[in-house]
Amino acid sequence: AVKQLWGDGDHTAEIDDMVAEQKAIHGEKVKSVCDLFRDKAVRWQLITLFLVASCMQLIGVNVVYFYAYNVFKKAGIPPAQTHYVSLGIGVTEILSTILCGFLIERAGRKTLLWKSYTVLALALVLLTVTLSLQDSFSWVPYCSVALIFIFIMSFGIGPAGVLCPLPTEIFIQSYRPAAYVFNGATNWIQLFILGLLFPFIVEGLGSFCFIIFLTYCLSMAIFVFLVMPETKGKTMLQVMEEFSRLNYRGKKR
């Protein structure tokens, strides 16, 4: 099966990792979502997954899409051509996510995440400024257009691409199904809540609503840089050991 997936070659190291993980779980049964919340051995894995998964909504990407039409209109793009620019944003997100697939093994998950969160926060800061000044100078709307593309590109290279393999890399096999269920439920619940609150946020804060999302981006950049272990080039048992230091900090395991 391994040769069919990865082609001919020496896959002894990968198979040894699988066997070692199988021995580590001692034939444990598949855990439920309730077990995921109760078990202290995976507490920081759960916190990490929740915070990174929340970026799909709390990072402000939907807000950027909401303002995109007005930004393009202010930049002088004819309304009939605006949908082509919107299509360009979608293509940019797809291409940047594909690019993440090539970068993730070279740069590492942690590096891609904290650097992309930092760029996202800076883009939101500048976008807040340009949207506030877009009627003052003729060239400001063009800056807003560029910042939107930079934001979408950073989102695709970082959180959008890294989130897919993350549950597999930080949870052992017995917890992975529950982790994916939790990940999906978190995404849809947050989308529902944000959908209800978003009109009121925009009405109350206008373009300054980005401040809420850039605060989250900065907080996540700090969290990933200081707390989240790197999974690149490590076996599942090595990743578990790093999280164990967080889960049992100050206690004998």
Side-chain angles (χ1 to χ4, degrees):
V2 170
K3 287 185 177 181
Q4 186 176 2
L5 286 171
W6 297 336
D8 294 329
D10 185 9
H11 305 301
T12 306
E14 289 81 1
I15 295 175
D16 289 342
D17 290 343
M18 297 176 192
V19 173
E21 182 181 351
Q22 183 184 29
K23 292 180 179 178
I25 62 178
H26 301 295
E28 289 186 7
K29 295 181 179 179
V30 175
K31 304 293 184 179
S32 66
V33 177
C34 292
D35 295 327
L36 195 66
F37 283 99
R38 287 196 296 258
D39 196 343
K40 189 175 181 179
V42 292
R43 179 169 299 173
W44 275 98
Q45 289 95 313
L46 184 63
I47 293 172
T48 300
L49 179 62
F50 173 75
L51 292 176
V52 176
S54 297
C55 77
M56 302 302 291
Q57 306 304 329
L58 302 182
I59 209 169
V61 64
N62 292 321
V63 186
V64 171
Y65 277 122
F66 176 82
Y67 272 98
Y69 177 79
N70 289 332
V71 170
F72 298 151
K73 189 176 178 181
K74 286 285 185 181
I77 299 174
Q81 305 296 324
T82 302
H83 59 283
Y84 291 111
V85 184
S86 299
L87 179 63
I89 291 179
V91 172
T92 300
E93 186 172 347
I94 293 173
L95 293 178
S96 58
T97 305
I98 295 174
L99 178 61
C100 178
F102 293 99
L103 294 177
I104 193 169
E105 289 300 330
R106 295 186 178 185
R109 288 72 166 153
K110 180 174 182 175
T111 302
L112 280 182
L113 276 178
W114 77 261
K115 288 185 176 181
S116 62
Y117 278 128
T118 303
V119 174
L120 288 168
L122 291 174
L124 289 178
V125 170
L126 296 174
L127 195 55
T128 302
V129 175
T130 56
L131 288 176
S132 301
L133 301 175
Q134 63 180 351
D135 294 325
S136 303
F137 305 97
S138 59
W139 50 268
V140 172
Y142 296 99
C143 295
S144 299
V145 172
L147 288 170
I148 287 176
F149 277 92
I150 291 172
F151 181 91
I152 296 300
M153 187 178 297
S154 300
F155 173 72
I157 292 177
V162 174
L163 179 61
C164 297
L166 189 63
T168 303
E169 296 185 341
I170 64 177
F171 287 96
I172 59 175
Q173 180 60 41
S174 54
Y175 282 98
R176 283 172 194 158
Y180 274 104
V181 170
F182 173 77
N183 183 28
T186 299
N187 181 61
W188 288 109
I189 290 172
Q190 289 179 345
L191 178 61
F192 173 74
I193 295 174
L194 188 62
L196 290 178
L197 298 179
F198 178 67
F200 302 101
I201 294 174
V202 173
E203 184 179 355
L205 298 177
S207 61
F208 291 99
C209 66
F210 289 117
I211 295 175
I212 299 174
F213 302 104
L214 72 88
T215 302
Y216 175 79
C217 291
L218 281 177
S219 301
M220 281 304 299
I222 296 171
F223 171 82
V224 172
F225 183 77
L226 297 179
V227 179
M228 179 180 166
E230 175 60 78
T231 59
K232 173 191 172 184
K234 295 179 181 177
T235 65
M236 188 68 246
L237 297 183
Q238 289 173 327
V239 174
M240 287 173 57
E241 180 62 27
E242 292 202 30
F243 274 109
S244 293
R245 297 192 188 102
L246 297 172
N247 293 324
Y248 299 99
R249 186 179 297 172
K251 297 180 181 179
K252 290 185 177 180
R253 295 194 296 275

